[in-house]
């Protein structure tokens, strides 16, 4: 847990935003079990020590994680509403400080 803030900054704003969207969608009672299973698998892959491409490689190591996160996000996009986006951005603001909302427009466009 002590390394969490360091890890959060390492994986970047967009990746953390995607994870927060998935997590907040998971917490909704309206999200069906099949979508929650996809969310668990997606986030589990990100935090798993067993990885397709090791995360120790500076950029290349996270490409598989980003692909899996994107797949999970697009698959459950119908269960992400404006409240989830808002609460995810509020949490980002706590962790990263002020950020340009335009940086997240690419992700929001997928939804």
């Amino acid at each position: 847990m002590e390394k969490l803030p360091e890890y959060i900054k390492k994986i970047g704003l967009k990746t953390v935003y995607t994870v927060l969207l998935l997590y907040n969608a998971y917490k909704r009672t309206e999200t069906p079990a099949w979508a929650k299973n996809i969310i668990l698998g997606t986030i589990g892959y990100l935090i798993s020590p067993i990885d397709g491409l090791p995360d120790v490689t500076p950029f290349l190591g996270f490409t598989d994680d980003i692909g899996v996160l994107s797949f999970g996000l697009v698959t459950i996009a119908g269960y992400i509403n404006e409240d989830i986006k808002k609460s995810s951005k509020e949490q980002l603001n706590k962790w990263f400080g002020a950020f340009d909302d335009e940086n997240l427009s690419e992700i929001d466009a997928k939804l």
Side-chain angles (χ1 to χ4, degrees), residues 20-89:
L20 287 170
L21 289 171
L22 290 166
Y23 173 73
N24 289 324
Y26 181 86
K27 292 190 319 184
R28 288 184 69 209
T29 56
E30 298 85 6
T31 303
W34 68 265
K36 288 183 178 191
N37 287 334
I38 288 174
I39 293 167
L40 287 175
T42 301
I43 295 174
Y45 186 83
L46 178 68
I47 62 175
S48 173
I50 300 169
D51 211 343
L53 293 170
D55 294 337
V56 293
T57 310
F59 175 74
L60 195 57
F62 287 112
T63 55
D64 61 324
D65 297 300
I66 292 168
V68 170
L69 284 173
S70 295
F71 167 78
L73 186 64
V74 170
T75 303
I76 64 114
Y79 301 100
I80 296 176
N81 59 22
E82 291 303 315
D83 291 337
I84 288 175
K85 291 178 189 177
K86 182 181 176 203
S87 63
S88 298
K89 288 177 182 177

